[in-house]
Structures are given as structure tokens and as C-alpha cells.
Amino acid sequence: MKQENIRNIAIIAHVDHGKTTLVDKLLRATDAFRENQKVEERVLDSNDQERERGITILAKNISIEYKGVKINVIDTPGHADFGGEVERVLKMADGTLLLVDAFEGPMPQTRFVLRHAIQAGLSIMIVVNKIDRPGADPEKAYNDCLDLMADLGANDEQLEFAMEHVVYASAMNGFARLDPADDNDNMYPLLDMILDDMPAPEVDPDGPLAMQCVTIDHSEYVGRIGIGRVYSGSIHTGDTILVVKNDGTQSTATVRQLFTFDYLGRKECDVVEAGDIGAVVGIERTDIGDVYTDPENPIALDPIEIDPPTLSIVFEPSTSPLVGREGDIVGARQLKERLMLERENNVTMKIEELEDKSGIEVSGRGILHLSVLMETMRREGFELQVGRPRVLFKKDENGNKIEPIEQAVVECPEEYSGKVIEIFGTAGGTMVSLDASGLVTHLEFKIPTRGIMGLKNRILNVTHGDGVFYHTFLEYGPYAGDIGGRKNGAMISMSTDKAVAYALGTLQERGTLFVAPGDACYEGMIVGESARPGDMVVNVAKTKNLGNQRSSTSDISVQLTPPRTFTLEEALEYITDDELVEITPQNVRMRKRLLSAVDRKKAAKK
């Protein structure tokens, strides 16, 4: 039977298309906040990095109540690097809102999440957002969504549902309309459509318990908390349940506490009914995909498969001469403990200690996925160093080497498209399509993940900052052979000292600098990029020899170009195999793995 008093919906969208803002307005429309309550914008982006980056990293559950019906809303990450979250949480939904920007239409990462929603058989309702944006074309965005759904293999039923259920909205201004020309100024048309047309959960409330854990939360007081949807029966506090793992192993456990989602928080309860989403406390070592069922009448559910990691990075304790100056936590033991705790909470990452105990290998879905963990740790006071990201290769059935392939999309003015195609050609990419019919040229490529590293800066340079670049994991494909890395050599400091303006003035003529006067440098640290291939050892602390004659002011003043600065992701993409990124709470520095020039020469001869 259908549980008519519950709706479970996911919201999927590309980064920055207004998904989290839409949820804000739905909460306000259903009186989730007191009239005088001060609420931050994008209230679901609770993580500091989510707010700063403007992206959703963790899938979250909330619930709203409208006309006596509980609507569980699942906010999914829009970035492909956090796809491990997406695949699982869609299992809890019966329908999804496909949110697209009326100006941009569906983007590559919309494609990634939408493919999973279609494969899960969900009903898809289209919400065309930002219809008041200059240059918006809601009809084109709507038609592009239908084309994309057909391209991804949506069945006739899903396509018909999407054609009949479209809402035009401006989440920022808090309105949703069935026709862009309407003058409605609230969100109720969208809420009414969810209630009237989104399918209610199809459940067996009187059958044996069947619940599957799709998300793990962690509390230092009660341990792991399994979050999932009850497909049949109901679960009560104090119940003895059978826990069936993905590999088929079974054990029994007692439910100590139960919670359901209530607006932005959780509410403790004694029972979670069929069709609802709940959180269960008391199951030791619970994991993604665990099925909680009746010990006497067990029900089998399909195991949950998570796409495997595509990149790995080795985390090591810092060996920099400046270690301990900026961070409080520098020891190898603390680093290991922190990463093992992350392994408990973050099932989308694979975290293993190296055999020689020199570091911890962390594997994830992309550089952004891995850098979010590094950024979190540096904010906690850690100092560490990491090597170059390494692509994880596989073997196919015939024993051939295969590697992760990405779908990359570039939108740029037409005059730069030739340069963009040339850059992808040198990085192992092949062009799939070119569309020059709009205001900008739309280019699509297939490119190995190895070739993506460092590409964003090159594209921004050749498009003079006017290019937009997105990429998302597509599939594992044949090994593409050698791909050239960084062409230019590095400028490497020869001494441990502060950089001096006089020295930097002479060095900037020979390349690009990464440090400014007064910056602390050490032997082996990368302080710039040479204009030529091959590394160059330089003296950043060289001062002018002063004679006994007074020099004119013009002689001693040095005109310095501002140094090039790197974000954490840019630094990871920039370094080569013999280099490291040093991460501290205040700085991101790049350095050679071997700090001494003598040691590097010896290693080169081996």
C-alpha cells in the first residue's frame, strides 16, 4: 500500500544552480522558523567549507510538513567528486526535483546525478530556476532537460512525467510558478505539485522489518549511527534485529535509540514507520548497505555499490625545516589517528597505512574530494605533507590496463576555441562535440583523469579568464599512453632564510615567482617557476653589496610583480612526482621531496 502521509524527494542540480537556496525557501514557506528567528542564508550548508566554496559536500536530510503530509527532502551534492553520497541517498527517494538554471540549462554534473536517478527508476519533476536572471531562456532549459533525460536512457513513463510536471521558479526571490508569465509570489505551487503528483512510498506496513543503511553519522558518545529508509514493517526502540552485511554475513543487534528527521533537526521517537527515513543507534560497526531486518522472517535487499576511488594521495607527517611554527599537531601518531577516525565516518574514501609505515594512503573520487579532507585537517591545527595525486589504474577482463576517463566541458568565446582544442590535444583529450550556435562555443571532450591535472589554469590563461571549465568522471577506458607533465622547471631555494626584494627583483626576469619579500623560505622549497625546462637553484636572500657611495633612490627601488598564489587544489595539480605540498594552518607551500641539492643530484644518477 501507499503511505499517503509521507513523500521522499531528492533535489539534484549542478553546482551553483540554487538547490540549497530553494530548500531554504521551502523551509520558510512551511513555517519551519519562528517569525523573529534569525536564519543564515543557505542554512543546509552547515559546513564552513560548504559556505566558502558555495557547494554542497555532504548529503543532508531535512523534513517539512505541508497540509498534514511529511515531506522528507534529501539535499544531494552537485559535484561529481562527492558522487559516493549521491548514489546511496537516492535509494531513500521515490521522486526527485531536477533543478536547472534557466540561463545555463543542464550542465555536466547534472548529467552525473541524473543518470543515477533514472537508473533508480525515480519520477523526475523539472524545476527551472533563476527565470528572472538576465538572458534566461526557461523554455530552452526545459527542452534541454527532456533531451538530456532521453539521452541518458529515461523510459517513456519518466519522460511523460517530466513533460507534464515542470515548475518555473526564482529561489532567491521565493516564488514558484506553473507558467513563467504568472505573477504568483510564493512557493506553494511547487509544494502542491509535490503533494499531488510525486509518488508516495509503496510499502508493506504490516510485513517484517526491512530497512537499509545508506548514510553513516558518527557520535563520539554512541558511535556509528545508521541512517536509512524503512521499506516494510516498522522499527521500535528495544527491538532485536538481524543485521545483514553486503558480503552476506549476519549478526543480531538491539536498537538503543531511534530518531526521525524534523525540519532541520532530529527528533527522538519510539518507532519509525514504513516509508519514513530514520536514524538507528545501537548497531556496532554498522556500514553502508547494511540491511536491518526481522530475525525470524529476514528480507533480502540489493546491496549498495559505490563507485570506486579514482585518485590516491599519500599523507605524511611534515619534515619541513619550518615544522611546528604554525600548527599544533605535527606528530605521525596524531596524523594516523585522525585519518583512521575519518575512515570510520567517511565510507567514500579508502584509507590504508603504507607497508613501511611512512605515511597513510587516502583514495578518493577526485582532487576536490581529497582536498576537502586536507583543508579540514589544516583548520584543526595539523601540519602535514602530501605527494602528487596518483591515478588508480585497473585491468579489464583481458588483462589490459584501463584508467579513469572524464567528460570535460568548456564554454568560451568562439575566438579562443582553437586554443582550447589544442590544449586538450596535448593532454590526451579527444573532442566529442562542438556547438557554436549560442553566445559562447560549447566544447565537450573525453580525457584521462591524468590529463585533467593542471588544465584549469591553462584554459583560463588562453581564454583570458572568459572560459568556464567543468569535468566529471565518466568511465574506465583504455590506457591513453604517456601524457606530458609540467613543461617548465622550478626555482628552488638554496638556503633557509627570508626572501629579499633585491634578490626577487633579479629572479623575476627569469620566470614567475611564488613568494613575496619577507616570506620564510627554506632549502629545497619551490619559490617560483623557471621560464625554461629544468630546475634552477636560486638564492632568494641575496642582498645588494653597498659601497661607501650614496646610491640614488631609483637604483635601490625594485619593482616586483605580485607573486602567483596557489589554492590547495592548484598546488596538488602543479607538483611533479619528486615534489610535495606542505600544508599548514596558515600556508600551502611546495617543496622538493629531497631538500638538499646534493641529495637530488645523487638520486638523479641512480
Side-chain angles (χ1 to χ4, degrees):
M1 62 173 277
K2 286 188 180 291
Q3 197 77 298
E4 291 294 345
N5 63 338
I6 294 175
R7 299 288 184 278
N8 296 317
I9 61 164
I11 302 187
I12 58 180
H14 184 74
V15 176
D16 205 30
H17 278 200
K19 170 164 43 75
T20 309
T21 306
L22 183 81
V23 174
D24 273 9
K25 292 302 190 284
L26 292 176
L27 284 163
R28 291 173 193 278
T30 52
D31 300 324
F33 310 119
R34 300 187 311 273
E35 278 187 34
N36 62 346
Q37 186 174 349
K38 185 177 184 300
V39 183
E40 292 190 65
E41 290 293 316
R42 304 201 324 274
V43 69
L44 274 196
D45 283 348
S46 49
N47 177 315
D48 284 346
Q49 289 194 63
E50 290 182 316
R51 292 191 164 279
E52 289 167 22
R53 295 171 185 261
I55 61 173
T56 299
I57 293 171
L58 303 168
K60 302 177 193 69
N61 297 50
I62 61 159
S63 78
I64 52 182
E65 194 150 319
Y66 182 63
K67 295 184 177 176
V69 176
K70 180 180 183 182
I71 303 172
N72 285 312
V73 181
I74 303 149
D75 183 28
T76 63
H79 202 287
D81 278 20
F82 309 104
E85 301 275 333
V86 173
E87 296 148 47
R88 305 192 311 269
V89 296
L90 289 179
K91 284 233 172 200
M92 296 192 285
D94 298 293
T96 181
L97 302 182
L98 170 60
L99 187 73
V100 296
D101 187 309
F103 177 75
E104 294 181 348
M107 298 295 272
Q109 284 153 4
T110 316
R111 182 187 190 96
F112 168 81
V113 188
L114 185 58
R115 184 193 295 132
H116 286 294
I118 288 169
Q119 287 169 354
L122 302 182
S123 300
I124 295 161
M125 184 183 288
I126 297 172
V127 181
V128 182
N129 192 26
K130 304 189 185 181
I131 61 169
D132 52 349
R133 179 178 171 177
D137 189 344
E139 283 303 315
K140 183 178 184 302
Y142 165 62
N143 289 323
D144 286 348
C145 288
L146 295 176
D147 290 344
L148 178 59
M149 285 178 64
D151 189 34
L152 293 175
N155 59 38
D156 293 345
E157 202 175 314
Q158 286 173 317
L159 285 168
E160 280 176 28
F161 187 91
M163 287 169 75
E164 293 167 9
H165 297 90
V166 58
V167 175
Y168 300 94
S170 169
M172 184 64 73
N173 294 308
F175 66 75
R177 300 167 178 171
L178 300 180
D179 187 304
D182 289 351
D183 59 357
N184 172 63
D185 63 351
N186 57 49
M187 299 301 293
Y188 298 129
L190 174 57
L191 287 163
D192 287 330
M193 191 180 280
I194 291 170
L195 247 58
D196 298 340
D197 300 320
M198 275 293 189
E202 190 85 48
V203 292
D204 179 3
D206 302 318
L209 169 67
M211 176 179 181
Q212 190 165 33
C213 173
V214 297
T215 307
I216 297 286
D217 200 355
H218 188 272
S219 160
E220 56 187 283
Y221 304 109
V222 297
R224 286 191 172 195
I225 301 168
I227 299 169
R229 172 175 158 177
V230 181
Y231 293 97
S232 85
S234 54
I235 186 167
H236 302 76
T237 305
D239 279 356
T240 299
I241 58 172
L242 182 70
V243 180
V244 183
K245 299 274 187 191
N246 270 349
D247 60 6
T249 55
Q250 301 181 355
S251 61
T252 56
T254 303
V255 178
R256 293 210 303 267
Q257 277 180 298
L258 281 175
F259 296 88
T260 55
F261 292 91
D262 181 41
Y263 289 103
L264 286 167
R266 292 183 198 160
K267 181 172 67 176
E268 190 168 355
C269 58
D270 295 324
V271 58
V272 179
E273 302 286 352
D276 205 355
I277 294 170
V280 182
V281 175
I283 294 141
E284 289 285 320
R285 306 285 309 157
T286 191
D287 224 328
I288 299 297
D290 286 2
V291 176
Y292 309 153
T293 186
D294 189 323
E296 294 175 12
N297 301 298
I299 291 181
L301 296 174
D302 293 334
I304 294 178
E305 298 292 333
I306 300 173
D307 279 359
T310 57
L311 281 179
S312 76
I313 289 183
V314 174
F315 285 57
E316 303 169 16
S318 178
T319 55
S320 160
L322 305 180
V323 67
R325 290 194 189 178
E326 296 169 11
D328 306 321
I329 312 170
V330 297
R333 181 180 56 80
Q334 291 108 314
L335 180 67
K336 180 182 172 182
E337 284 173 1
R338 172 65 180 81
L339 289 170
M340 291 306 151
L341 178 65
E342 187 70 23
R343 185 166 71 173
E344 286 287 309
N345 304 341
N346 191 340
V347 292
T348 60
M349 281 183 171
K350 185 181 171 192
I351 300 175
E352 305 275 334
E353 188 170 15
L354 295 178
E355 286 183 18
D356 62 0
K357 312 286 187 190
S358 62
I360 312 284
E361 185 174 41
V362 180
S363 305
R365 288 290 288 274
I367 282 186
L368 182 62
H369 190 199
L370 294 162
S371 71
V372 164
L373 171 59
M374 296 173 205
E375 184 65 38
T376 304
M377 289 175 67
R378 72 185 281 215
R379 291 176 188 212
E380 292 168 4
F382 280 86
E383 280 196 30
L384 62 143
Q385 62 191 32
V386 295
R388 190 181 187 214
R390 187 173 60 83
V391 169
L392 299 173
F393 299 107
K394 285 184 176 180
K395 292 273 175 66
D396 62 11
E397 312 86 67
N398 305 319
N400 298 319
K401 191 176 184 181
I402 55 174
E403 66 176 327
I405 304 291
E406 310 246 345
Q407 179 196 20
V409 174
V410 177
E411 292 188 333
C412 64
E414 190 180 353
E415 63 263 31
Y416 304 131
S417 56
K419 287 281 187 189
V420 170
I421 294 167
E422 188 182 321
I423 283 174
F424 273 90
T426 60
T430 52
M431 190 163 72
V432 178
S433 70
L434 184 152
D435 178 9
S437 58
L439 295 171
V440 293
T441 301
H442 181 91
L443 301 150
E444 285 192 30
F445 301 87
K446 274 187 177 180
I447 181 170
T449 300
R450 289 178 298 141
I452 287 286
M453 292 185 206
L455 213 58
K456 187 173 184 179
N457 269 339
R458 291 175 66 192
I459 287 165
L460 286 174
N461 285 340
V462 299
T463 60
H464 295 227
D466 290 336
V468 179
F469 174 51
Y470 298 103
H471 59 94
T472 177
F473 173 74
L474 187 64
E475 61 195 359
Y476 266 84
Y479 178 65
D482 286 337
I483 294 172
R486 192 176 82 212
K487 301 284 189 295
N488 295 9
M491 289 186 189
I492 305 159
S493 174
M494 64 167 60
S495 60
T496 301
D497 217 328
K498 288 189 175 177
V500 173
Y502 176 74
L504 298 181
T506 56
L507 290 175
Q508 73 177 2
E509 297 165 11
R510 306 178 69 179
T512 307
L513 293 173
F514 303 160
V515 294
D519 286 354
C521 301
Y522 54 83
E523 184 184 8
M525 178 174 152
I526 297 172
V527 294
E529 182 183 277
S530 169
R532 299 179 179 183
D535 292 343
M536 180 168 66
V537 178
V538 299
N539 184 0
V540 291
K542 184 180 178 184
T543 54
K544 184 173 183 180
N545 292 325
L546 298 176
N548 57 0
Q549 297 164 340
R550 185 175 296 165
S551 58
S552 67
T553 312
S554 61
D555 188 38
I556 59 169
S557 64
V558 178
Q559 295 293 318
L560 286 176
T561 307
R564 178 178 166 189
T565 56
F566 287 82
T567 63
L568 188 47
E569 291 93 48
E570 286 167 353
L572 292 169
E573 291 181 337
Y574 181 81
I575 59 171
T576 57
D577 291 333
D578 68 332
E579 294 166 357
L580 298 169
V581 176
E582 179 197 348
I583 301 164
T584 75
Q586 294 173 27
N587 287 293
V588 173
R589 302 185 185 98
M590 292 176 290
R591 49 163 284 190
K592 287 291 181 182
R593 189 174 285 278
L594 298 173
L595 295 176
S596 161
V598 175
D599 292 344
R600 290 197 297 275
K601 280 180 184 172
K602 284 179 182 173
K605 288 177 182 176
K606 287 180 183 176

